[in-house]
């Protein structure tokens, strides 16, 4: 539409820096836009791999969805361009990188830090759900940290407009999927609330609640049964929040407003270093 500013980007506009990480479909590089000196993250996706995995439609949807999102806890997608072999996503650079690396290094997060991250995740999800967007792939690997340690929810490759039922086969970990998705049923925004519960558990314990080293079908059974056990060091308030999110029936799960007002969040809210 005519209101959209004309921004035809091309590779020559960027000075490519160090690799920031590598995903399944390509690598991410630190990059600087030559004219403005603006620092971004440039994600490269190899076209033939996207075609082969039949996900090019998802990438198009991701670009369309994420280009319209503006929230401090959602990683910005500034634009995209392609050459004959690759698609490039021009992304906001998250100064403190991948949250899961911090989680693995620290084994697990304190209750105060976990509550701060979950509060910011709830704010990002409330913004998304108001726009009828469900992320559907909430997990530590898809969360980055900004320069002030703030949450940056990223990778909208699996996001859709609610309600939906998935057509593309799932790959990767089942750990974060709610019962209705592992059962291939119709699902709505409450899938992100289930994943928020799994995320809270993993921040506090260091592993997801239904993880089963014997494989997918064992994890699947534990999710379907909501076979939830807490280690003794988890506080009663944290157990309460997680249990009210990991409800088999989507309607029974807490709303995002209830998460943001939960005693476990409020108990820590005063101690967060609030940058103004
Ligand atoms: C590591 N790192 N450190 C700092 C930092 N700052 C910013 N970004 C980083 N990393 C990139 C994070 C991403 C954001 N959006 C993505 N989007 C995507 O990867 N989309 C995508 C790809 C292939 C296939 C599919 C599909 F269709 F199959 F779903 C979807 S990846 C950073």
């Amino acid at each position: 539409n005519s209101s959209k500013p004309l921004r035809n980007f091309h590779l020559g506009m960027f000075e490519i820096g160090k690799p920031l990480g590598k995903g399944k479909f390509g690598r991410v590089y630190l990059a600087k836009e030559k004219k403005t000196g603006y620092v971004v993250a440039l994600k490269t996706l190899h076209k033939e791999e996207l075609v082969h995995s039949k996900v090019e439609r998802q990438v198009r949807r991701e670009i369309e969805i994420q280009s319209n999102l503006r929230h401090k806890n959602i990683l910005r997608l500034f634009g995209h361009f392609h050459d004959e072999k690759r698609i490039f996503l021009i992304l906001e650079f998250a100064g403190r990188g991948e949250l899961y690396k911090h989680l693995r290094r620290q084994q697990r997060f304190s209750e105060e830090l976990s509550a701060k991250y979950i509060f910011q995740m709830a704010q990002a999800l409330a913004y998304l759900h108001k726009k009828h967007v469900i992320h559907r792939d909430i997990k530590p690997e898809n969360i980055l940290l900004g320069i002030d340690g703030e949450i940056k929810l990223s990778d909208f490759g699996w996001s859709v407009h609610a309600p939906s039922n998935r057509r593309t086969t799932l790959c990767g970990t089942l750990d974060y999927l709610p019962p209705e998705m592992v059962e291939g049923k119709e699902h709505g925004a409450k899938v992100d609330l289930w994943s928020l519960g799994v995320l809270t558990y993993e921040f506090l314990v260091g592993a997801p609640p239904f993880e089963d080293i014997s494989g997918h079908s064992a994890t699947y059974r534990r999710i379907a049964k909501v076979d939830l056990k807490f280690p003794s060091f988890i506080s009663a308030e944290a157990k309460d929040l997680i249990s009210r999110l990991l409800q088999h029936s989507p309607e029974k799960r807490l709303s995002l407003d209830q998460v943001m007002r939960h005693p476990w969040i409020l108990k820590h809210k005063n101690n967060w270093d609030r940058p103004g």
Side-chain angles (χ1 to χ4, degrees), residues 1-7 68 70:
N1 50 18
S2 58
S3 69
K4 204 202 288 261
L6 274 177
R7 297 165 306 174
N68 303 315
R70 302 272 188 288

Side-chain angles (χ1 to χ4, degrees), residues 19-30 40-45 50 53-60 62 66 75-77 89 91-98 101 137 141-142 144-145 153-159 168 171:
L20 290 171
K22 50 187 176 307
K24 223 176 356 191
F25 294 85
R27 288 170 166 272
V28 194
Y29 296 91
L30 195 59
V40 294
L42 210 53
K43 168 106 188 194
T44 61
L45 305 172
L50 294 178
S53 318
K54 301 191 191 54
V55 291
E56 66 275 22
R57 205 164 49 86
Q58 276 176 247
V59 177
R60 261 198 293 280
E62 168 181 9
Q66 214 181 340
L75 195 79
R76 282 290 307 281
L77 174 65
L89 303 180
L91 298 158
E92 173 187 0
F93 169 56
R96 287 205 198 162
E98 297 171 287
K101 287 190 175 165
D137 198 12
E141 289 76 2
N142 287 340
L144 298 166
L145 291 175
L153 179 54
S154 101
D155 198 336
F156 285 71
W158 283 92
S159 58
T168 318
C171 48

Side-chain angles (χ1 to χ4, degrees), residues 122-140:
Q123 289 182 296
L125 290 173
Y127 172 84
L128 277 183
H129 290 182
K130 243 194 344 278
K131 292 176 164 280
H132 305 293
V133 173
I134 41 182
H135 187 279
R136 293 202 313 176
D137 198 12
I138 306 285
K139 57 187 178 186

Side-chain angles (χ1 to χ4, degrees), residues 9 16 62 65 107 146 155 160 173 176 189 197 201 217-218 274:
F9 300 100
I16 308 298
E62 168 181 9
I65 287 179
Q107 266 87 41
D155 198 336
V160 286
T173 171
Y176 274 74
Y201 185 102
S217 51
R274 296 182 58 76

